[in-house]
Amino acid sequence: MRQHLLFTIYGPMQAWGKVAVGEVRPVESRPTRSGLLGLLAASLGIRRGDPVLDALNRECRVAVRQDRPGSLMTDYHTAQVPKESKGRVFSTRRQELVTKLDRDERPNTVISNREYLADAAFTACIWLEGAQECSLEGFRDALKRPRLTPYLGRKSCPAACPFMPEIVEAQDELEAFEVYEPEEYCEDIYKLGNGAIWTEGDHGRFNAFTVRDRVIDHQKRQFGTRFEYHVPPQGAGED
């Protein structure tokens, strides 16, 4: 038997980004590995650049079940940003747009089309391999009382209900999904036990896909590839 940490993910909007080039900012149809580890890191109070992030990336394994697919929406997004300048650090938005700009300087306007998942719900599963620095108990407690604000992909996407983390023992993550039962008041959101599952657990009987969401460098935001297995919804055939 193996221990697994499971928790719910629901919000009016989510944005689990994938490779973005140019003005389009697409999203995945479910939470990504890097996004889930970032959510855990924020709950633990770990900031970008902290070496503890390497332990999270090295020791954690993830799986996600889709409980409610939601719908895709696109936002025509404009943002004003100052020109890049060495040695100039901004602490507030006012400094970016007003007080730290040169007298004749005007901020640039960046235009993008940003995708979001609206009204989607998922269940996440985390387990550890070769754990030395991480603990599921620490993750669970942090999700109950986050030290930094966790968000669902982008800072504009807060969670709409508690994560309801719970540690369960099971043979593997697929069995753990069947065992986990969140609070009753979320029953109208979650349709438990029949959604598709994406996992990095090695299940050779299911189709495997290559995804690019394995963190290589947190500061430079560089990502590598990994294998992910797709488990079809109960009663459906494999893709």
Side-chain angles (χ1 to χ4, degrees):
M1 301 288 280
R2 185 176 69 190
Q3 286 194 326
H4 305 77
L5 172 69
L6 292 98
F7 57 95
T8 59
I9 297 174
Y10 173 72
M13 293 198 302
Q14 303 179 37
W16 309 100
K18 54 185 176 182
V19 177
V21 179
E23 298 177 355
V24 179
R25 301 290 187 269
V27 297
E28 291 286 1
S29 61
R30 72 276 186 186
T32 59
R33 173 186 166 84
S34 56
L36 289 175
L37 296 187
L39 189 153
L40 286 176
S43 299
L44 290 164
I46 302 171
R47 298 181 183 275
R48 184 174 285 116
D50 192 311
V52 178
L53 289 172
D54 294 330
L56 278 175
N57 192 38
R58 182 176 60 253
E59 298 177 6
C60 292
R61 301 293 178 266
V62 304
V64 175
R65 185 182 65 200
Q66 182 187 72
D67 298 311
R68 187 170 178 172
S71 57
L72 187 68
M73 62 171 287
T74 302
D75 174 42
Y76 179 77
H77 186 90
T78 62
Q80 288 187 304
V81 295
K83 297 177 181 178
E84 293 186 5
S85 178
K86 291 184 178 180
R88 187 165 63 173
V89 178
F90 303 101
S91 300
T92 66
R93 186 65 172 153
R94 179 174 173 78
Q95 289 181 358
E96 285 186 331
L97 300 180
V98 182
T99 59
K100 278 198 172 184
L101 298 185
D102 296 334
R103 177 173 297 180
D104 298 325
E105 184 179 359
R106 295 291 182 270
N108 296 324
T109 298
V110 177
I111 297 174
S112 61
N113 288 285
R114 302 192 175 200
E115 293 182 348
Y116 294 89
L117 277 179
D119 204 31
F122 304 92
T123 301
C125 178
I126 308 289
W127 68 98
L128 302 176
E129 291 187 0
Q132 296 180 347
E133 300 182 45
C134 300
S135 76
L136 295 183
E137 291 80 6
F139 295 165
R140 178 196 59 198
D141 296 344
L143 287 169
K144 289 181 178 180
R145 294 181 177 272
R147 296 183 182 180
L148 299 175
T149 303
Y151 45 87
L152 309 184
R154 295 191 185 122
K155 291 183 179 179
S156 59
C157 303
C161 69
F163 295 113
M164 295 175 285
E166 181 182 336
I167 296 175
V168 303
E169 287 195 1
Q171 292 291 342
D172 58 25
E173 67 277 17
L174 304 185
E175 182 180 304
F177 280 121
E178 297 179 1
V179 173
Y180 174 68
E181 294 183 1
E183 301 288 341
E184 291 182 0
Y185 68 82
C186 278
E187 287 183 353
D188 59 334
I189 297 174
Y190 291 91
K191 297 178 180 179
L192 299 178
N194 61 355
I197 295 173
W198 293 267
T199 175
E200 56 184 346
D202 190 353
H203 296 278
R205 66 186 185 277
F206 299 113
N207 291 333
F209 300 88
T210 300
V211 293
R212 185 180 294 275
D213 65 353
R214 179 177 58 84
V215 177
I216 296 178
D217 190 305
H218 292 278
Q219 292 288 4
K220 297 179 180 179
R221 300 193 179 188
Q222 294 179 338
F223 300 90
T225 59
R226 66 181 177 93
F227 284 112
E228 183 178 67
Y229 292 87
H230 175 233
V231 184
Q234 291 183 9
E238 294 186 36
D239 292 342

